[in-house]
């Protein structure tokens, strides 16, 4: 305001924003150095790429000027064009009155240097490139946030103000409908907003790469009236409880939240409306790979008078037509396999009776207090027939509370028709009720969960016509409330959950010997926002066979932090979340005095302080200027700033694409000039693709930037930018010497224990179960490379290397065998010979189709529990589908992280001693590491395939470890 001017414009409620007279405009340019890369699509103003980037730039400019000395004069901005040269932005700024070029530039520079916009965490702007090129006056009425209340935003007519939350909500509120324009509302995720086709798709930003922090993407689905909407997910992986996909029935302020999805496997979601709003919201940290969603329609008339589709559900395909009550305390979870930890719920579903089937459960893990979760049916219209409602339920544990089933009528009237309280044992129990309703009603299932381990689960809900017949199943027996056997933790010296100051716990009988066959779980808790430091004051366990496992978080999504065994002292362990799980597992023989541990909580314990804007955080926590990334000089002590500096443009580990180098934090396309076979080999090694390569020049019509690559005298690359299980092979045969040069024999305490594969000149890939409990002293492991027969370790082509680092995949779960993969680092780089070569890693989207034959090799047993092989054995086996594998291995949950191979008639298989070795598939004369030998049922039995860790699911993790 000018001095003395009344403040009426600041306080009155405005619905119209009128601008009298002309507006003053300033035109300028600046360059984005990082955070955005140029592509030809940015030259097309109608493209999603242009819209998304322009939206972010305009938001950044608004945030800068609305907090500047020009906040009262500033109206709005627009992006005119985006040019090549990193990204050169040409823009207009609109002010209510004349502002000098110098003042405009100074305020923009100050705002950028002071990080006045959250988007400056993403963009690096070269302040020296800022130029004001032109001033002019416009008589158009411009959008002006200065004349709207802070909670409002102007329409495109520059006359009407509406609430900001009404923009992009699916309901036009501006007279010209500009609040719902595609240009205004296109999401930063995929450039889409309004989805009106009967079939469509949408996905998280960067999918299938990890999404960004602090984003909100919204889509409106609007299909033909009379149809409903069904959502399916080909992939779904978000941070549990933090990064959510919210699905609403309807649009605008009256929309109703129907589902909040996170984690994995959400199943099918149904929206009982022809309009739906979908929002993806992420927090500030820990980004997963996101989701890919498709939607279709289904006919509402199918549900008008039919009971069966409304009620019947086995939960194999989501929640069917059951609806989560989002007004209760929490939500039912759809899970397969056992609840976590064990003995807190069922070990398998009821439908199939194995680990692959799904059921629903109250939130798994220990509760923080009593809470209610509810699902309810669609409205049901009674007819003259009686109805029989049937279901299966599981209530197990001394803390389990109550399950009730209710009939709900309009006007909040409700009656209870079934109720159970207490512990009914580790069984699926059958329930049924005859319904005789005369008015419209809904059915609801309510579960009340107590603090502690008290999961209640449901499966196979059904509704049939007629009175319920006499049940063929026995009435369940209530287990006495005073437990006859110890509650988890079994044989443990401490409570199940610990909070400070009660922060000390120990093994049973400490300082005397702990018992055998102990299975104990402690949950260590801290306030939200803090993390945990675990310290062992004393530690002495039977080496290898008795272990303490420490996991970050609680529940099935917890990540492995450490496995300790043997004798201390041991390093402290730090969580990244506010919960840590500690498991103590002992075998049937041998015992020691155990352990004494305590923990403390705080902020960022053991974690490096985050770096400031325009700085890069090294893997070891150091901060260096972001411009020093990939400048060919190592600034990070761990070398991580020079680790990921070459890529192929169509994937993180693609084997076919344009070569790009990162120079001064910008990606440059490699020119064919001076390219040589030596450079090609160097690039393949940097990409983790081995030495075998084929490169060729190609015509490229884009604008670059480019880089010329040559070699120095020391063979380094010169970049010159340019601008314009333990499981042997049964049924195999002796391999020829040097046939599988990436095969490695792993010796532990001088005995062959497992196999491994060489994937670079210093890294091996093996199975996590091979090194679990044997990872504390890596030097006890020896890697034997170039080996043909175990009877001669002194052969000239054989090299024996010590291991100095072991990395277990953090998602590995010993009990379910999921993510059974680990990496081992050689103390000294090996030299490649005819007998020692790395195997190629597949790109992560590579598919090895069922039916093709692949190869296995190893020095394991030649029959189940039989003698081991002295000469490397090899065999060929066909890949099979995971569905078939699950049918033939019903005791296990065959996950998407696994693959299977074997003959129906058996006879050929990997066996004890082959664990960690490769499943190798040949494509176009190249051998790829498709799987890592994990587990099986005995060896080579009919209809019992071998199970392997699926390497394509871990390619990014392997690459990150190597770098």
């Amino acid at each position: 305001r000018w001095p003395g001017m009344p403040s009426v414009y600041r306080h009155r409620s405005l619905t119209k924003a009128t601008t009298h007279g002309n507006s003053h405009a300033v035109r300028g340019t600046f360059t984005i150095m990082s955070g955005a890369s140029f592509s030809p699509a940015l030259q097309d103003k109608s493209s999603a790429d242009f819209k998304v980037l322009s939206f972010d730039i305009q938001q950044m400019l608004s945030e800068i000027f609305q907090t500047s000395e020009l906040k009262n004069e500033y109206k709005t901005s627009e992006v005119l064009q985006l040019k090549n040269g990193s990204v050169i932005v040409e823009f207009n700024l609109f002010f209510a009155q004349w502002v000098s070029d110098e003042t405009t530039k100074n305020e923009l520079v100050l705002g950028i240097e002071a990080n006045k916009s959250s988007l400056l965490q993403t963009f690096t702007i070269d302040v020296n490139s800022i130029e004001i090129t032109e001033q002019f006056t416009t008589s158009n009425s411009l959008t002006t946030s200065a004349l709207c209340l802070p909670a409002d935003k102007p329409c495109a007519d520059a006359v009407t103000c509406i609430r900001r939350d009404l923009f992009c909500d699916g309901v036009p509120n501006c007279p010209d409908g500009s609040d719902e324009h595609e240009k205004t509302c296109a999401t930063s995720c995929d450039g889409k907003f309004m989805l009106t086709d009967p079939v469509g798709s949408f996905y998280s930003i960067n999918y299938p790469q990890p999404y960004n922090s602090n984003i909100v993407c919204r889509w409106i689905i609007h299909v033909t009236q009379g149809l409903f909407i069904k959502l399916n997910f080909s992939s779904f992986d978000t941070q549990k409880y933090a990064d959510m996909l919210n699905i609403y029935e309807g649009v605008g302020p009256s929309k109703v939240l129907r589902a909040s999805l996170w984690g994995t496997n959400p199943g099918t979601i149904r929206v009982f409306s022809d309009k739906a709003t979908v929002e993806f919201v992420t927090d500030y940290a820990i980004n997963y790979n996101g989701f890919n969603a498709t939607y279709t329609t289904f006919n509402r008339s199918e549900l008008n008078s039919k009971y069966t589709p409304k009620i019947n559900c086995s939960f194999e395909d989501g929640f069917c037509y059951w609806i989560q009550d989002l007004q209760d305390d929490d939500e039912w979870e759809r899970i397969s396999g056992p609840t976590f930890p064990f003995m807190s719920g069922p070990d398998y579903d009821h439908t199939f009776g194995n680990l692959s089937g799904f059921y629903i459960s109250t939130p798994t893990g220990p509760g923080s207090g009593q809470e209610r979760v509810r699902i309810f049916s669609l409205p049901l219209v009674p007819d003259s027939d009686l109805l029989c409602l049937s279901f299966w339920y599981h209530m197990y544990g001394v803390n389990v509370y109550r399950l009730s089933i209710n009939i709900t009528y309009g006007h909040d009237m409700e009656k209870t028709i079934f109720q159970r309280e207490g512990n009914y044992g580790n069984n699926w129990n059958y329930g049924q009720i005859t319904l005789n309703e005369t008015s419209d009603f809904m059915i609801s299932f309510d579960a009340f969960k107590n603090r502690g381990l008290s999961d209640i689960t449901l499966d196979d809900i059904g509704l049939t016509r007629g009175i319920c017949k006499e049940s063929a199943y026995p009435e369940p027996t209530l287990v006495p409330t005073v437990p006859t056997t110890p509650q988890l933790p079994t044989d443990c010296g401490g409570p199940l959950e610990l909070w400070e100051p009660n922060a000390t716990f120990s093994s049973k009988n400490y300082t005397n010997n702990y018992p055998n066959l102990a299975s104990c779980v402690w949950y260590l808790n801290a306030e939200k926002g803090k993390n945990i430091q675990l310290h062992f004051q004393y530690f002495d366990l039977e080496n290898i066979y008795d272990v303490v496992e420490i996991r970050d978080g609680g529940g099935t999504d917890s990540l492995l932090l450490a496995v300790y065994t043997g004798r201390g002292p041991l390093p402290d362990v730090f969580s990244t979340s506010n919960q840590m799980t500690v498991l103590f597992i002992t075998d049937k023989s041998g015992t020691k005095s155990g352990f004494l541990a305590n923990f403390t909580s705080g902020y960022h314990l053991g974690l490096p302080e985050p770096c400031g804007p325009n700085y890069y955080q090294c893997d070891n926590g150091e901060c260096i200027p972001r411009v020093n990334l990939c400048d060919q000089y190592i600034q990070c002590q761990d070398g991580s700033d020079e680790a990921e500096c070459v890529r192929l443009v169509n994937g993180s580990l693609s084997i076919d694409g344009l070569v790009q180098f990162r120079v001064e934090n910008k990606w440059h396309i490699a020119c064919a000039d001076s390219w040589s076979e030596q450079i090609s080999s160097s690039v393949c090694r940097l990409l983790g693709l081995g030495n075998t390569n084929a490169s060729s020049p190609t015509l490229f019509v884009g604008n670059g930037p480019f880089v010329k690559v040559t070699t120095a005298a020391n063979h380094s690359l010169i970049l010159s930018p340019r601008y314009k299980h333990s499981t042997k092979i049964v049924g195999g045969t002796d391999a020829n010497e040097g046939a599988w040069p990436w095969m490695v024999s792993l010796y532990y305490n001088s005995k062959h224990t497992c196999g491994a594969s060489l994937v670079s000149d210093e890294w091996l890939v093996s199975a996590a179960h091979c090194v679990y409990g044997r990872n504390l002293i890596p030097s006890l492991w020896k890697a034997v490379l170039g080996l043909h027969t175990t009877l001669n370790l002194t052969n000239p082509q054989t090299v024996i290397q010590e291991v100095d680092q072991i990395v277990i995949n953090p998602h590995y779960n010993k009990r379910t065998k999921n993510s059974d993969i680990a990496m081992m680092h050689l103390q000294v780089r090996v030299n490649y010979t005819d007998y020692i070569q790395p195997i190629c890693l597949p790109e992560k989207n590579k598919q090895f189709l069922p039916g093709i034959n692949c190869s296995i090799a190893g020095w394991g047993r030649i029959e189940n529990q039989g003698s081991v092989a002295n000469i490397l054995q090899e065999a060929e086996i066909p890949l099979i589908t995971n569905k078939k594998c699950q049918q033939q291995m019903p005791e296990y949950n065959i996950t998407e992280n696994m693959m299977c191979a074997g003959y129906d008639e058996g006879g050929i298989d990997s066996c004890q001693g082959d664990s960690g070795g490769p499943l190798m598939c040949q494509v176009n004369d190249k051998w790829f590491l498709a799987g890592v030998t994990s587990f099986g049922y005995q060896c080579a039995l009919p209809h019992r395939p071998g199970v392997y860790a699926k390497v394509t699911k871990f390619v990014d993790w392997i690459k990150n470890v190597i770098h």
Side-chain angles (χ1 to χ4, degrees):
R1 284 189 292 124
W2 291 99
M5 184 177 178
S7 57
V8 60
Y9 288 101
R10 298 186 60 164
H11 299 294
R12 63 190 178 114
S13 176
L14 294 180
T15 57
K16 299 287 185 180
T18 57
T19 303
H20 302 288
N22 297 333
S23 294
H24 185 76
V26 172
R27 182 163 297 170
T29 63
F30 61 76
T31 300
I32 302 176
M33 300 300 295
S34 67
S37 56
F38 184 80
S39 68
L42 291 179
Q43 294 176 313
D44 179 5
K45 289 188 176 183
S46 64
S47 72
D49 289 352
F50 180 89
K51 293 174 183 177
V52 170
L53 183 54
S54 296
F55 178 84
D56 287 344
I57 292 169
Q58 289 171 195
Q59 181 180 341
M60 178 191 74
L61 291 170
S62 292
E63 290 176 356
I64 290 173
F65 280 100
Q66 286 170 357
T67 57
S68 73
E69 293 296 323
L70 298 176
K71 60 186 177 183
N72 293 327
E73 289 81 9
Y74 175 78
K75 289 184 176 183
T76 188
S77 65
E78 66 176 337
V79 174
L80 300 176
Q81 57 180 324
L82 302 171
K83 302 177 184 178
N84 190 18
S86 293
V87 178
I88 299 174
V89 180
E90 185 175 353
F91 60 90
N92 281 342
L93 300 173
F94 297 94
F95 298 97
Q97 62 187 44
W98 181 86
V99 178
S100 71
D101 293 357
E102 184 180 1
T103 301
T104 304
K105 180 176 180 178
N106 287 343
E107 292 300 327
L108 183 53
V109 170
L110 290 172
I112 292 171
E113 292 179 340
N115 292 308
K116 290 297 183 67
S117 170
S118 58
L119 286 160
L120 290 168
Q121 301 288 335
T122 301
F123 297 139
T124 300
I125 309 296
D126 180 5
V127 293
N128 295 320
S129 70
I130 298 173
E131 294 182 12
I132 303 302
T133 59
E134 184 181 352
Q135 296 206 17
F136 57 95
T137 301
T138 174
S139 58
N140 295 330
S141 294
L142 298 168
T143 303
T144 168
S145 56
L147 297 180
C148 292
L149 293 176
D152 294 343
K153 185 176 177 180
C155 302
D157 62 8
V159 173
T160 309
C161 293
I162 66 170
R163 295 201 321 267
R164 290 179 180 272
D165 61 333
L166 297 179
F167 273 78
C168 307
D169 67 349
V171 178
N173 291 282
C174 291
D176 55 5
S178 59
D179 56 316
E180 304 301 319
H181 283 176
E182 195 78 17
K183 181 177 180 180
T184 303
C185 301
T187 73
S188 60
C189 282
D190 59 2
K192 301 176 183 178
F193 170 59
M194 187 69 68
L195 306 173
T196 56
D197 294 331
V199 177
S201 64
F202 55 96
Y203 49 85
S204 56
I205 190 168
N206 304 330
Y207 177 83
Q209 301 296 328
Y211 45 77
N212 297 346
S213 302
N214 293 321
I215 62 166
V216 177
C217 293
R218 179 186 290 171
W219 299 268
I220 303 295
I221 304 174
H222 190 176
V223 299
T224 304
Q225 191 170 0
L227 298 178
F228 289 156
I229 298 166
K230 181 166 67 174
L231 296 165
N232 286 289
F233 300 90
S234 62
S235 177
F236 196 99
D237 185 17
T238 69
Q239 186 187 4
K240 197 170 183 180
Y241 305 121
D243 300 333
M244 299 186 184
L245 186 70
N246 295 318
I247 300 171
Y248 300 83
E249 182 178 301
V251 295
S254 61
K255 64 182 182 290
V256 178
L257 183 63
R258 287 303 185 204
S260 289
L261 310 180
W262 58 72
T264 57
N265 297 323
T268 299
I269 305 297
R270 292 172 174 86
V271 178
F272 304 103
S273 169
D274 56 18
K275 300 183 185 72
T277 303
V278 183
E279 287 183 346
F280 182 48
V281 183
T282 69
D283 70 354
Y284 61 91
I286 310 181
N287 300 327
Y288 291 15
N289 288 340
F291 64 87
N292 184 37
T294 58
Y295 72 88
T296 55
T297 59
F298 64 100
N299 200 322
R300 65 192 304 171
S301 63
E302 298 175 6
L303 301 176
N304 284 349
S305 60
K306 297 181 181 179
Y307 291 126
T308 299
K310 291 183 179 181
I311 300 300
N312 291 9
C313 191
S314 64
F315 302 101
E316 298 304 318
D317 185 34
F319 281 79
C320 305
Y321 295 97
W322 289 89
I323 300 171
Q324 296 263 20
D325 183 358
L326 299 176
Q327 304 303 314
D328 56 10
D329 301 316
D330 212 324
E331 294 185 41
W332 289 87
E333 295 182 3
R334 175 176 168 268
I335 59 177
S336 63
T339 54
F340 184 88
F342 296 101
M343 300 173 62
S344 62
D347 298 321
Y348 45 80
D349 80 320
H350 175 264
T351 309
F352 297 116
N354 62 30
L355 299 176
S356 67
F358 285 87
Y359 56 93
I360 62 171
S361 170
T362 51
T364 54
S368 57
Q370 190 179 108
E371 55 188 11
R372 176 181 71 94
V373 293
R374 163 179 282 200
I375 54 169
F376 56 86
S377 71
L378 292 171
L380 303 172
V381 179
D383 54 24
S384 56
D385 293 336
L386 297 175
L387 301 170
C388 181
L389 175 68
S390 61
F391 53 93
W392 290 84
Y393 64 98
H394 191 287
M395 301 172 67
Y396 178 41
V398 296
N399 290 322
V400 75
Y401 186 28
R402 177 191 299 160
L403 172 68
S404 66
I405 304 175
N406 304 292
I407 298 294
T408 304
Y409 309 98
H411 308 296
D412 297 325
M413 295 178 59
E414 191 170 275
K415 70 177 181 181
T416 299
I417 59 173
F418 175 92
Q419 185 165 291
R420 288 281 188 269
E421 287 190 16
N423 179 6
Y424 284 85
N426 191 12
N427 310 294
W428 280 104
N429 300 305
Y430 178 75
Q432 61 179 22
I433 313 115
T434 298
L435 306 181
N436 183 17
E437 301 303 320
T438 58
S439 59
D440 294 1
F441 66 99
M442 294 188 300
I443 302 170
S444 67
F445 283 79
D446 290 293
F448 296 84
K449 181 180 173 72
N450 273 339
R451 183 180 177 88
L453 299 173
S454 56
D455 294 323
I456 298 173
T457 61
L458 294 172
D459 205 356
D460 295 324
I461 302 173
L463 190 67
T464 55
R465 294 187 180 277
I467 192 171
C468 292
K469 299 177 181 179
E470 183 176 351
S471 174
Y473 304 100
E475 185 71 15
T477 302
L478 181 66
V479 178
T481 54
V482 178
T484 56
T485 58
Q487 175 197 352
L488 267 177
T490 304
D491 298 322
C492 296
L496 181 65
E497 289 194 71
L498 296 175
W499 297 76
E500 291 180 297
N502 185 22
T504 300
F505 60 103
S506 65
S507 54
K508 178 73 173 180
N509 302 330
Y510 177 79
T511 58
N512 296 314
N513 286 4
Y514 52 78
N516 296 124
L517 297 176
S519 179
C520 316
V521 183
W522 291 270
Y523 290 99
L524 317 183
N525 297 280
E527 296 175 13
K528 190 173 182 179
K530 293 184 177 181
N531 70 319
I532 295 170
Q533 177 179 0
L534 174 64
H535 173 70
F536 288 94
Q537 298 167 262
Y538 181 85
F539 195 95
D540 188 15
L541 306 185
E542 183 188 14
N543 194 31
I544 300 176
Y545 302 106
D546 299 338
V547 298
V548 168
E549 179 179 316
I550 305 138
R551 304 187 73 88
D552 193 357
T556 54
D557 289 334
S558 61
L559 300 179
L560 182 67
L561 289 173
V563 179
Y564 286 160
T565 188
R567 189 175 180 85
L570 299 169
D572 289 0
V573 183
F574 299 88
S575 72
T576 61
S577 65
N578 66 329
Q579 191 175 55
M580 182 183 282
T581 303
V582 180
L583 300 98
F584 178 44
I585 303 164
T586 68
D587 71 347
K588 62 184 178 181
S589 63
T591 183
K592 295 271 188 165
S593 52
F595 68 85
L596 175 66
N598 61 13
F599 73 95
T600 186
S601 64
Y603 295 99
H604 305 294
L605 294 177
L607 303 175
E609 288 294 325
C611 297
N614 303 323
Y615 278 81
Y616 169 77
Q617 188 143 41
C618 309
D619 290 351
N620 63 3
E622 288 180 272
C623 298
I624 66 168
R626 190 177 293 274
V627 295
N628 289 339
L629 271 180
C630 297
D631 63 355
Q632 301 191 68
Y633 296 95
I634 292 178
Q635 277 85 26
C636 297
Q637 289 186 9
D638 58 7
S640 56
D641 58 319
E642 301 299 317
E644 297 186 42
C645 299
V646 61
R647 71 181 184 187
L648 301 184
V649 294
N650 59 344
S652 66
L653 271 179
S654 172
I655 60 170
D656 184 19
L658 291 174
V659 179
Q660 286 187 326
F661 286 89
R662 191 184 239 169
V663 182
E664 296 179 359
N665 206 27
K666 291 180 289 187
W667 287 101
H668 292 60
I669 297 172
C671 297
D673 302 356
S674 304
W675 193 263
S676 66
E677 184 176 344
Q678 180 183 347
I679 295 173
S680 184
S681 297
S682 298
V683 169
C684 286
R685 284 196 297 272
L686 289 170
L687 290 167
L689 299 175
N691 280 329
T692 304
N693 64 81
S695 59
S696 60
T698 184
L699 181 64
F700 183 74
V701 296
N703 291 319
F706 303 99
V707 63
K708 181 179 178 180
V709 187
T710 55
T711 54
N714 62 357
H715 305 297
S716 64
L717 299 181
I718 301 173
L719 306 179
S720 305
R722 290 183 173 185
Y723 300 93
K724 188 189 166 196
H725 146 305
S726 49
T727 26
K728 159 174 182 240
I729 307 301
V730 176
T733 58
D734 291 354
N736 292 327
E737 194 166 4
W740 310 108
W742 43 81
M743 279 297 306
V744 179
S745 172
L746 294 177
Y747 276 63
Y748 184 77
N749 279 340
S750 303
K751 178 182 178 183
H752 171 80
T753 303
C754 279
S757 303
L758 183 69
V759 293
S760 78
D761 59 1
E762 55 182 327
W763 282 100
L764 313 177
V765 170
S766 187
H769 77 263
C770 288
V771 297
Y772 183 92
R774 299 180 173 94
N775 59 316
L776 282 182
I777 309 177
S779 60
L780 293 177
W781 288 92
K782 299 291 186 292
V784 185
L785 301 94
L787 180 67
H788 183 59
T789 171
T790 58
L791 298 178
N792 185 6
L793 299 184
T794 60
N795 199 312
Q797 59 261 28
T798 300
V799 174
I800 301 176
Q801 288 271 25
E802 285 198 3
V803 172
D804 62 7
Q805 184 183 358
I806 298 174
V807 184
I808 299 175
N809 185 274
H811 294 275
Y812 173 58
N813 188 312
K814 187 176 188 294
R815 288 154 290 284
T816 65
K817 306 182 187 299
N818 199 24
S819 303
D820 187 9
I821 191 168
M823 298 192 66
M824 308 175 79
H825 184 257
L826 303 178
Q827 191 174 50
V828 180
R829 293 175 186 260
V830 296
N831 295 317
Y832 295 148
T833 68
D834 290 341
Y835 302 93
I836 301 175
Q837 291 283 330
I839 189 170
C840 296
L841 289 169
E843 53 184 317
K844 64 181 178 183
N845 59 358
K846 174 67 179 175
Q847 292 186 339
F848 298 103
L849 298 177
I852 68 171
N853 286 335
C854 296
S855 295
I856 51 177
W859 292 272
R861 298 184 186 275
I862 52 178
E863 61 183 38
N864 188 52
Q865 302 303 324
S867 60
V868 298
N870 295 322
I871 297 176
L872 178 65
Q873 300 292 291
E874 62 181 17
E876 197 173 77
I877 52 175
L879 304 185
I880 65 172
T881 66
N882 277 26
K883 182 178 180 180
K884 180 178 180 179
C885 187
Q886 182 67 76
Q887 294 168 348
Q888 296 183 346
M889 303 287 280
E891 307 92 335
Y892 305 100
N893 183 22
I894 305 301
T895 73
E896 62 181 5
N897 297 322
M898 303 174 185
M899 62 190 302
C900 303
Y903 293 97
D904 285 344
E905 63 271 23
I908 298 178
D909 194 9
S910 50
C911 199
Q912 291 87 15
D914 294 321
S915 282
L919 173 66
M920 306 164 283
C921 300
Q922 190 177 25
V923 180
N924 297 331
D925 297 325
K926 292 183 182 179
W927 285 98
F928 290 91
L929 181 63
V932 176
T933 306
S934 180
F935 68 94
Y937 184 83
Q938 298 186 19
C939 306
L941 294 180
H943 306 293
R944 288 293 193 169
V947 185
Y948 303 81
K950 191 174 183 179
V951 171
T952 54
K953 291 291 185 179
F954 304 100
V955 160
D956 282 344
W957 174 75
I958 293 172
K959 180 183 176 185
N960 287 335
V961 172
I962 288 175
H963 287 317

